[in-house]
Amino acid sequence: MKIFRLFLLVCILCPASLLAQSPQIPIGQWRDELPYNYCNSVAEAGNRIYSSTPYAVFYFDKDDNSVTRITKIQGLSDIGISCLAYNSSTKTLVIAYSDANIDLIQNNSIINISDIYRKPILGNKTINSIYCQGNLAYLQCGFGIVVLDLAKQEISDTYYIGNGGGQVNVLSLVRDERDTLWAATEKGIYKAWSKDPNLANYAVWKKDKRIDTTLMYNTITYFSGKIVVNKHRTSGRDTLFTYQGQWAAWNNGESNPVMNLNSMYNLLVVSYNYFVDVFDQSFSKYKVINSYPGAGSFPQDAICDKNQTIWIADSYSGLVSYEMNSDQVKTYNLSGPLSANAFSMSTLNNDLFIAPGGYDASFVPLAQAAQIYHFDDSNWQNISGANNPPLYNFSNVVSVTADPSDPKRIYAATWGYGLLEFYDGTLTRRYTEANSTLHHHSAGDTGIIRVGGSAFDAHGYQWIDCSHTNQCLSLKRGSQWTGFTIAINNETDLGQIIATRYDQVWMQMRYGNLNPNSVLVFTDNGTPDNPSDDMAKKLNNTQGNGNIPGNSVFSMAEDKNGEIWVGTESGVGVFYNPDDLFTATPSDCQRPLVQQGQYVQYLLENEQVNAIAVDGSNRKWMGTDRGGAYLFSADGTKQVYHFTAEDSPLLSDRVTSIAINPVTGEVYFGTDKGVISYKSTATEGGDSFGDVYAYPNPVREGYQGYIAVKGLLSNAQIRITDVSGRLVFTGKAEGGQAVWNGSTMDGKKVRTGVYMVFASNEDGSEKVVTKILVIN
């Protein structure tokens, strides 16, 4: 059992506003960028209302109207929350995950109960729901029922209640006033006396044959002297039944799918797929909740609190409250992306853009709605069909590129629908064959235009590639389009594209038996209107023709020296001299060597490298398919960090994309379970000093993190002294930022006082001074 202490009164779970995140996080800290609009469960805990998403938990505190997040950063053990419940007897919040892992939040601590998760149980281990009674929490699982003693913080029993003691998918559980336990399952309803000492014996659990024993009953409760249960059909009408001596169909005028039943405070709350009904003790309909401000209703769970307010966990609008006395509706949807998908990410200045679409390993498009998620380092703006109705006609945005000359203008590459242009969040234009040089999929429908990506070059021009056509490359200069035919492309799939300082365009190619190539490189030699000097080259894993490690390229990045770093299923290769690629003696790709303990090996040679990003200090961040995320030195020979889901808040070891905020140094990791960020030490530096300042400043007592000096020119030298001129620290900026741990050079914390920061370039011709107030 693992215990993680929550410092609720300090800073880790400091309340967030309803619509924004904290604009600054300390260096070395993490921040989640998860969707909070999809809520699947809700529970009352005194004056707090807890709600869960598949990715995190948050609660609304009615005392101060604050919302607080609880994620892996604060110590949750996993991702993939299926449900939660609150046990008032032990004051414990029970959080269940789809992989059968369990967290308890008790006395400001997170206690992990991983017994079911670790146990090799064949079949379905999903925890479907939680029923609390006394000191116990009954977990309804895909194989049976698990009893969790919350006072002892341990599993006390397991009930296999299926035929012959076999597994059965238990979906919901309740106890009636006669102490009978009723279990709603995938195959009928089972019951047993709760005080029977042999509940672990399947024979004491009897299937109720007075009601259909073959269909699914997905939710059950006890209300006003009756058992209420829902017979769920995958197609057709759901039917509610009540039991009081005999079963009877309850015709309440509804036939929609029922998501959940909850009874409390003399009310029955029924969550349907599009609305919530509230019934009084006579089973008369008391309230109907079927709309929220500015959005449709898609309830997953709903409860009534002690103040007669209905709280709804909605899969689109997040947490919703409905005050029955005033009919007032409020939503508590924390700022975040619409989904956890992050096929690719990009940044410009302080803005992050996420493309949630994509394609599979064979470049077959995924069925993802056309959406763009934009984070401005404070709030999220989600572009979708809800605010741009034409987007309902498109799908699979695979990359997003912002115009450096006007960041309000962004371009979305779609895998099938051409290139979309937006201005200030509004779709303004779609580029196809009719109004551009983009070309359709040659082997299929002329309407299919698969754009792999776009990139702006040093001249401010935009390059766009298309798949399955030799007319695969386009250049957009303002409103002027120029198309390039590259015959050697052989109508392949083209994905990521980068435009380099050597006026080259590098394009990721699909590798296959008929296309043994990894990268397509093109140059117009600086004369886009003169095709006679255009050149193109395919690079693969053969010596003399690239010598790229492995067979498939998954990522590319140009570093600050103009070198091209390429990630494959066999690690990383570097083109150190890409400018000689079209000469008579081109240089092949080289594999950096890295020291691992006593051994030297090729950089990540046993990992598939899905993402590479270069920070302000020219260091390389790399995301792998199963090994988490790495930071390496500028030359790739030294490992600085290695983050995994096991030993850090990283959401998953499968990292699909990485992007870096050049202003703050925040590194965003897109994983198969969502996006999370880490505040790194390096930012982009300029050719001269900018607005130089320290953060935090003042440095308060008890602060344990790094102090950053921002706005420096690249690789500036810094010296920090006290007011008497005594030197306490010297160092070098990482890109445009230097960091200090608040200690002297012999490791002692500095005393309270004002400290002077002197920064200069290498020859001392440019200098700047700032101050830091330290309180210890």
Side-chain angles (χ1 to χ4, degrees), residues 399-402 404 411 413 419 451-458 460-465 473-476 496-500 504-506:
S399 78
V400 182
T401 310
Y411 295 89
L419 184 71
V451 179
S454 74
F456 282 88
D457 63 20
Y461 303 150
Q462 186 179 12
W463 295 87
I464 307 104
D465 63 7
L473 186 61
S474 294
L475 174 63
K476 183 177 181 293
Q496 180 192 5
I497 179 173
I498 59 175
T500 75
Q504 296 174 351
V505 179
W506 291 58

Side-chain angles (χ1 to χ4, degrees), residues 252-260 270-279 285 287-292 297-300 302 312 314:
N252 63 1
E254 309 290 1
S255 61
N256 283 51
V258 174
M259 312 305 292
N260 216 346
V270 184
S271 304
Y272 291 91
N273 58 341
Y274 294 127
F275 55 93
V276 173
D277 281 350
V278 183
F279 297 86
K285 192 175 295 186
K287 291 287 183 179
V288 178
I289 309 165
N290 55 17
S291 64
Y292 316 141
S297 52
F298 303 91
Q300 301 297 304
I312 304 168
D314 192 273

Side-chain angles (χ1 to χ4, degrees), residues 294 316 338 369-374 381-395 397 408 410 412 414 420-430:
Y316 184 83
L338 287 179
Q371 297 175 345
I372 298 170
Y373 311 146
H374 171 208
Q381 178 193 24
N382 295 304
I383 302 172
S384 67
N387 48 35
N388 281 265
L391 288 182
Y392 285 126
N393 300 316
F394 313 132
S395 62
V397 174
K408 290 186 177 182
I410 61 174
T414 70
L420 308 179
E421 180 181 334
F422 297 82
Y423 193 80
D424 206 12
T426 299
L427 178 64
T428 57
R429 191 172 287 104
R430 176 187 172 210

Side-chain angles (χ1 to χ4, degrees), residues 522-539:
F522 171 85
T523 180
D524 63 7
N525 275 303
T527 59
D529 298 316
N530 179 15
S532 65
D533 59 355
D534 295 350
M535 292 185 288
K537 189 169 188 176
K538 293 178 180 179
L539 303 175

Side-chain angles (χ1 to χ4, degrees), residues 539-584:
L539 303 175
N540 58 24
N541 58 7
T542 59
Q543 192 169 359
N545 197 42
N547 200 28
I548 298 173
N551 296 320
S552 302
V553 167
F554 293 94
S555 54
M556 300 181 298
E558 181 185 25
D559 75 6
K560 296 188 178 303
N561 298 323
E563 299 166 356
I564 306 297
W565 292 65
V566 178
T568 76
E569 85 282 8
S570 299
V572 178
V574 185
F575 287 89
Y576 290 106
N577 298 293
D579 53 326
D580 71 8
L581 198 61
F582 292 100
T583 66

